[in-house]
Amino acid sequence: MALLLITHDLGIVSTMAHRVALMYAGQVVEVAETSEFFARPLHPYAAMLFAALPETAKRGQQLAAIGGTVPALNQAFAGCRFVARCPSAFAACHNTQPELYQPVVAHTVRCLLHRKGSQRSSSRAPLAAASMLKRRAGGDRRFD
């Protein structure tokens, strides 16, 4: 039996899903096993989502936010759909639509940073985000 869960709640995703497909602007931008996704998000959007999660260590600080807005989906896209909001964007991102690349076994990402021969981004979401989600969800994966 399969279940398709569509949610914005990463805590629910971390406890209920076996695989994650992250979407941005109507397009899948990252696919991985849940544990791999939470330990090593590859797409800048995923990293920024994790950075925006509230946690006790950030109490009293302003929460991180992803600047800008989601683009209108009725437009033609010349390049990456996340380019206007991406802190890692470079020239090719504006006029090259990225394919789904597989820089890691069973982990695909739609980002030119991970195209073969491209310098990989060193930015990673803090691992604290993944462990915080596990703690909030009781630390179990009920459907493994």
Side-chain angles (χ1 to χ4, degrees), residues 21-43:
L22 178 67
M23 294 185 74
Y24 180 78
Q27 188 176 60
V28 172
V29 295
E30 187 163 353
V31 180
E33 296 293 324
T34 304
S35 58
E36 170 70 14
F37 174 75
F38 280 91
R40 284 171 290 287
L42 298 177
H43 197 279

Side-chain angles (χ1 to χ4, degrees), residues 75-133:
Q75 67 176 312
F77 293 94
C80 175
R81 293 179 183 207
F82 192 61
V83 68
R85 303 174 81 187
C86 184
S88 303
F90 54 99
C93 299
H94 292 273
N95 57 24
T96 304
Q97 291 189 11
E99 301 171 22
L100 274 172
Y101 303 105
Q102 187 173 331
V104 179
V105 174
H107 194 157
T108 57
V109 62
R110 188 180 306 277
C111 180
L112 296 176
L113 290 170
H114 300 282
R115 179 173 53 180
K116 204 171 218 170
S118 184
Q119 279 192 324
R120 288 195 51 183
S121 170
S122 61
S123 66
R124 293 279 186 241
L127 293 179
S131 62
M132 184 272 304
L133 285 170

Side-chain angles (χ1 to χ4, degrees), residues 130-143:
S131 62
M132 184 272 304
L133 285 170
K134 294 268 186 217
R135 283 193 309 275
R136 183 190 317 162
D140 66 326
R141 295 274 316 274
R142 287 175 264 170
F143 295 93

